[in-house]
């Protein structure tokens, strides 16, 4: 029965959501172009920007990199700069998986659940759908950014130039490389973090409601942008705070273990709550 639930979710939750997928591509294609204009500005003040060929990794890191660690000590050199592009990215990623699970439950989902007499399979199907949907949208964002870079003459590569750190307000003294930065680990860790946060949002939507859970998560992400700490898991979605790129960053192994724990906890709590809550007699949309 689980396979039937999942097949239904993939067909209606992703296959019939072509407009949303197209909007995702168009939105992040144009947001990625911002890096091109930033380069033009920096080249006027720093000729070094002209010495290295721009890569598609530059465009992607500039889009999802976030911002460097904020020094909370009064009078310190660096200060908090709102990572607007990163916020648009993470909030949109969470929005893409916000409504379908419980909108479906308030529609045909209740009928399917009654006929199958299996709440557990319904919940597990929605968890797997959330993972697949997040991966799909993440790959679309990556494709949009890469194509935008290619359209503006960028070299296809996953090696970002060091000077992108200026856009992300990273301190050059703490960079792990003075030439190029391999962003493959950042690409994988950011995607993993988006999956974990989507699962956390799913359980919050079950306990609260989708809209409330979205704003709670948004507030949590905002706090994490200001404070670099594993407590704020969204930090692991910032390339500018990855220990492989900057010495003051967060380490990936601990982030992966923490993410797995959060994901399993979210799925497990949701499974338990869903078994005993009055789902059929309530409106969760």
């Amino acid at each position: 029965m689980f396979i039937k639930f999942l097949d239904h979710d993939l067909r209606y939750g992703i296959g019939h959501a072509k407009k949303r997928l197209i909007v995702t591509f168009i939105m992040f294609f144009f947001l990625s172009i911002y890096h091109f204009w930033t380069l033009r500005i920096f080249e006027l003040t720093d000729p070094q920007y002209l010495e290295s060929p721009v890569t598609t990794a530059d465009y992607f890191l500039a889009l999802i990199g976030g911002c460097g660690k904020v020094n909370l000590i009064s009078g310190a050199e660096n200060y908090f700069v709102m990572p607007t592009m990163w916020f648009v990215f993470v909030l949109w990623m969470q929005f893409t998986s916000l409504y379908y699970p419980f909108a479906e439950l308030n529609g045909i989902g209740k009928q399917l659940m009654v006929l199958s007499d299996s709440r557990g399979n319904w919940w597990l199907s929605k968890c797997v759908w959330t993972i697949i949907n997040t991966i799909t949208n993440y790959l679309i964002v990556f494709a949009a950014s890469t194509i935008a870079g290619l359209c503006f003459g960028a070299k296809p590569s996953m090696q970002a130039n060091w000077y992108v750190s200026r856009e992300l307000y990273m301190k050059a003294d703490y960079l792990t490389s003075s030439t190029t930065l391999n962003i493959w680990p950042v690409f994988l860790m950011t995607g993993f973090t988006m999956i974990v946060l989507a699962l956390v949002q799913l359980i919050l939507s079950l306990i609260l409601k989708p809209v409330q859970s979205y704003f709670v998560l948004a507030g949590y992400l905002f706090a994490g942008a200001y404070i670099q700490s594993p407590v704020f898991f969204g930090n692991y979605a910032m390339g500018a705070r990855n220990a492989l790129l900057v010495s003051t960053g967060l380490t990936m192994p601990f982030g992966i273990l923490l993410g797995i724990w959060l994901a399993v906890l979210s799925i497990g709590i949701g499974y338990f709550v869903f078994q005993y809550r009055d789902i059929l007699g309530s409106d969760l949309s």
Side-chain angles (χ1 to χ4, degrees):
M1 197 65 207
F2 167 77
I3 298 299
K4 291 183 178 180
F5 274 128
L6 183 58
D7 177 68
H8 170 83
D9 289 335
L10 294 178
R11 280 190 291 112
Y12 289 93
I14 297 178
H16 289 188
K18 294 182 179 66
K19 290 182 179 179
R20 173 169 51 78
L21 299 178
I22 292 172
V23 168
T24 299
F25 179 87
I26 293 174
M27 178 167 62
F28 286 98
F29 176 86
F30 283 105
L31 285 176
S32 297
I33 295 175
Y34 176 78
H35 176 65
F36 174 80
W37 298 112
T38 302
L39 282 178
R40 302 289 79 78
I41 295 172
F42 283 161
E43 284 170 357
L44 296 176
T45 58
D46 193 343
Q48 292 184 76
Y49 275 67
L50 296 171
E51 295 177 3
S52 302
V54 179
T55 69
T56 52
D58 295 348
Y59 278 80
F60 186 65
L61 186 58
L63 178 67
I64 58 92
C67 65
K69 181 180 179 180
V70 179
N71 196 330
L72 300 180
I73 300 174
S74 179
E77 274 186 44
N78 57 330
Y79 52 90
F80 179 63
V81 177
M82 180 73 71
T84 306
M85 297 281 270
W86 179 81
F87 265 118
V88 172
F89 164 67
V90 294
L91 292 179
W92 179 259
M93 287 294 295
Q94 299 314 305
F95 178 77
T96 61
S97 60
L98 181 63
Y99 282 107
Y100 170 75
F102 298 104
E104 190 266 352
L105 178 59
N106 287 319
I108 193 174
K110 287 183 179 180
Q111 301 175 34
L112 294 175
M113 196 183 306
V114 171
L115 291 174
S116 66
D117 193 27
S118 178
R119 291 186 173 207
N121 283 332
W122 185 94
W123 173 255
L124 293 177
S125 173
K126 293 302 177 290
C127 291
V128 174
W129 173 86
T130 297
I131 293 171
I132 295 174
N133 180 68
T134 302
I135 292 173
T136 300
N137 282 276
Y138 183 59
L139 292 177
I140 290 175
V141 171
F142 177 70
S145 173
T146 300
I147 293 173
L150 293 173
C151 288
F152 285 88
K155 173 186 174 183
S157 171
M158 290 299 278
Q159 297 287 330
N161 288 293
W162 68 271
Y163 52 66
V164 179
S165 63
R166 285 185 60 182
E167 290 184 55
L168 305 179
Y169 298 93
M170 301 162 66
K171 295 193 71 173
D173 294 342
Y174 298 142
L175 294 179
T176 57
S177 173
S178 60
T179 54
T180 60
L181 304 167
N182 178 14
I183 71 163
W184 270 118
V186 172
F187 170 77
L188 296 173
M189 191 64 198
T190 300
F192 174 71
T193 304
M194 290 298 99
I195 291 171
V196 173
L197 290 175
L199 289 172
V200 170
Q201 179 179 251
L202 183 63
I203 177 60
L204 287 176
S205 296
L206 179 60
I207 297 173
L208 304 173
K209 281 193 175 184
V211 174
Q212 288 92 324
S213 71
Y214 187 73
F215 282 108
V216 168
L217 194 61
Y220 173 74
L221 291 169
F222 180 83
Y226 187 69
I227 303 173
Q228 178 176 307
S229 169
V231 172
F232 298 100
F233 193 69
N235 275 281
Y236 288 100
M238 286 193 186
R241 297 183 183 180
N242 189 304
L244 295 178
L245 301 190
V246 59
S247 60
T248 57
L250 300 173
T251 58
M252 281 182 58
F254 181 75
I256 292 171
L257 291 175
L258 179 60
I260 292 173
W261 179 78
L262 285 172
V264 171
L265 189 66
S266 298
I267 294 171
I269 291 176
Y271 187 92
F272 177 80
V273 171
F274 202 73
Q275 293 290 338
Y276 297 99
R277 185 170 176 180
D278 180 18
I279 302 296
L280 299 180
S282 59
D283 182 2
L284 296 175
S285 60

